[in-house]
mmCIF file of all heavy atoms in Angstrom:
data_model
loop_
_atom_site.group_PDB
_atom_site.id
_atom_site.type_symbol
_atom_site.label_atom_id
_atom_site.label_comp_id
_atom_site.label_asym_id
_atom_site.label_seq_id
_atom_site.Cartn_x
_atom_site.Cartn_y
_atom_site.Cartn_z
ATOM 1 N N LYS A 287 -48.923 -37.027 -12.260
ATOM 2 C CA LYS A 287 -50.303 -36.584 -12.127
ATOM 3 C C LYS A 287 -50.936 -36.353 -13.483
ATOM 4 O O LYS A 287 -52.101 -36.680 -13.717
ATOM 5 C CB LYS A 287 -50.358 -35.314 -11.291
ATOM 6 C CG LYS A 287 -49.931 -35.520 -9.837
ATOM 7 C CD LYS A 287 -50.047 -34.231 -9.062
ATOM 8 C CE LYS A 287 -49.664 -34.439 -7.619
ATOM 9 N NZ LYS A 287 -49.763 -33.183 -6.826
ATOM 10 N N ASP A 288 -50.143 -35.758 -14.413
ATOM 11 C CA ASP A 288 -50.672 -35.526 -15.754
ATOM 12 C C ASP A 288 -50.990 -36.842 -16.451
ATOM 13 O O ASP A 288 -52.003 -36.982 -17.150
ATOM 14 C CB ASP A 288 -49.681 -34.718 -16.584
ATOM 15 C CG ASP A 288 -49.469 -33.334 -16.007
ATOM 16 O OD1 ASP A 288 -50.361 -32.865 -15.266
ATOM 17 O OD2 ASP A 288 -48.410 -32.727 -16.283
ATOM 18 N N ILE A 289 -50.095 -37.851 -16.266
ATOM 19 C CA ILE A 289 -50.332 -39.153 -16.899
ATOM 20 C C ILE A 289 -51.595 -39.800 -16.335
ATOM 21 O O ILE A 289 -52.426 -40.358 -17.066
ATOM 22 C CB ILE A 289 -49.107 -40.058 -16.695
ATOM 23 C CG1 ILE A 289 -47.887 -39.462 -17.422
ATOM 24 C CG2 ILE A 289 -49.377 -41.473 -17.172
ATOM 25 C CD1 ILE A 289 -46.608 -40.200 -17.148
ATOM 26 N N ALA A 290 -51.743 -39.744 -14.996
ATOM 27 C CA ALA A 290 -52.909 -40.358 -14.375
ATOM 28 C C ALA A 290 -54.204 -39.689 -14.812
ATOM 29 O O ALA A 290 -55.206 -40.334 -15.118
ATOM 30 C CB ALA A 290 -52.781 -40.297 -12.855
ATOM 31 N N SER A 291 -54.173 -38.321 -14.844
ATOM 32 C CA SER A 291 -55.385 -37.612 -15.252
ATOM 33 C C SER A 291 -55.733 -37.895 -16.694
ATOM 34 O O SER A 291 -56.893 -38.066 -17.082
ATOM 35 C CB SER A 291 -55.196 -36.105 -15.029
ATOM 36 O OG SER A 291 -54.118 -35.631 -15.801
ATOM 37 N N TYR A 292 -54.676 -37.959 -17.540
ATOM 38 C CA TYR A 292 -54.919 -38.254 -18.948
ATOM 39 C C TYR A 292 -55.521 -39.657 -19.120
ATOM 40 O O TYR A 292 -56.417 -39.890 -19.915
ATOM 41 C CB TYR A 292 -53.620 -38.137 -19.735
ATOM 42 C CG TYR A 292 -53.733 -38.572 -21.180
ATOM 43 C CD1 TYR A 292 -54.347 -37.748 -22.135
ATOM 44 C CD2 TYR A 292 -53.255 -39.817 -21.581
ATOM 45 C CE1 TYR A 292 -54.456 -38.158 -23.437
ATOM 46 C CE2 TYR A 292 -53.368 -40.230 -22.886
ATOM 47 C CZ TYR A 292 -53.955 -39.393 -23.823
ATOM 48 O OH TYR A 292 -54.086 -39.796 -25.107
ATOM 49 N N SER A 293 -55.011 -40.634 -18.338
ATOM 50 C CA SER A 293 -55.511 -42.011 -18.449
ATOM 51 C C SER A 293 -56.951 -42.094 -17.970
ATOM 52 O O SER A 293 -57.777 -42.829 -18.531
ATOM 53 C CB SER A 293 -54.619 -42.955 -17.646
ATOM 54 O OG SER A 293 -54.652 -42.580 -16.278
ATOM 55 N N LYS A 294 -57.323 -41.302 -16.923
ATOM 56 C CA LYS A 294 -58.707 -41.336 -16.443
ATOM 57 C C LYS A 294 -59.665 -40.781 -17.480
ATOM 58 O O LYS A 294 -60.715 -41.349 -17.749
ATOM 59 C CB LYS A 294 -58.813 -40.531 -15.151
ATOM 60 C CG LYS A 294 -58.157 -41.179 -13.945
ATOM 61 C CD LYS A 294 -58.311 -40.327 -12.723
ATOM 62 C CE LYS A 294 -57.654 -40.974 -11.509
ATOM 63 N NZ LYS A 294 -57.783 -40.144 -10.297
ATOM 64 N N VAL A 295 -59.248 -39.663 -18.093
ATOM 65 C CA VAL A 295 -60.116 -39.053 -19.104
ATOM 66 C C VAL A 295 -60.320 -39.989 -20.289
ATOM 67 O O VAL A 295 -61.428 -40.212 -20.788
ATOM 68 C CB VAL A 295 -59.555 -37.713 -19.565
ATOM 69 C CG1 VAL A 295 -60.348 -37.150 -20.739
ATOM 70 C CG2 VAL A 295 -59.548 -36.708 -18.404
ATOM 71 N N SER A 296 -59.216 -40.612 -20.746
ATOM 72 C CA SER A 296 -59.315 -41.509 -21.888
ATOM 73 C C SER A 296 -60.141 -42.755 -21.537
ATOM 74 O O SER A 296 -60.870 -43.307 -22.368
ATOM 75 C CB SER A 296 -57.919 -41.932 -22.349
ATOM 76 O OG SER A 296 -57.240 -42.579 -21.306
ATOM 77 N N HIS A 297 -60.005 -43.198 -20.259
ATOM 78 C CA HIS A 297 -60.770 -44.371 -19.840
ATOM 79 C C HIS A 297 -62.275 -44.092 -19.833
ATOM 80 O O HIS A 297 -63.090 -44.905 -20.255
ATOM 81 C CB HIS A 297 -60.309 -44.837 -18.467
ATOM 82 C CG HIS A 297 -61.157 -45.944 -17.911
ATOM 83 N ND1 HIS A 297 -61.184 -47.213 -18.478
ATOM 84 C CD2 HIS A 297 -61.996 -45.971 -16.846
ATOM 85 C CE1 HIS A 297 -61.992 -47.976 -17.809
ATOM 86 N NE2 HIS A 297 -62.522 -47.254 -16.802
ATOM 87 N N LYS A 298 -62.662 -42.908 -19.348
ATOM 88 C CA LYS A 298 -64.071 -42.547 -19.350
ATOM 89 C C LYS A 298 -64.646 -42.503 -20.736
ATOM 90 O O LYS A 298 -65.743 -42.974 -21.011
ATOM 91 C CB LYS A 298 -64.251 -41.207 -18.656
ATOM 92 C CG LYS A 298 -64.010 -41.266 -17.146
ATOM 93 C CD LYS A 298 -64.237 -39.907 -16.510
ATOM 94 C CE LYS A 298 -63.980 -39.974 -15.009
ATOM 95 N NZ LYS A 298 -64.169 -38.642 -14.367
ATOM 96 N N SER A 299 -63.831 -41.958 -21.652
ATOM 97 C CA SER A 299 -64.301 -41.887 -23.037
ATOM 98 C C SER A 299 -64.469 -43.299 -23.614
ATOM 99 O O SER A 299 -65.406 -43.587 -24.350
ATOM 100 C CB SER A 299 -63.344 -41.076 -23.895
ATOM 101 O OG SER A 299 -62.070 -41.664 -23.897
ATOM 102 N N GLN A 300 -63.531 -44.205 -23.253
ATOM 103 C CA GLN A 300 -63.645 -45.577 -23.756
ATOM 104 C C GLN A 300 -64.865 -46.304 -23.148
ATOM 105 O O GLN A 300 -65.551 -47.086 -23.815
ATOM 106 C CB GLN A 300 -62.365 -46.352 -23.431
ATOM 107 C CG GLN A 300 -61.178 -45.932 -24.280
ATOM 108 C CD GLN A 300 -59.954 -46.758 -23.965
ATOM 109 O OE1 GLN A 300 -60.016 -47.633 -23.098
ATOM 110 N NE2 GLN A 300 -58.867 -46.494 -24.682
#
Side-chain angles (χ1 to χ4, degrees):
K287 295 182 178 179
D288 296 338
I289 295 173
S291 61
Y292 174 77
S293 61
K294 289 180 180 179
V295 172
S296 60
H297 174 67
K298 290 181 180 179
S299 61
Q300 288 182 359

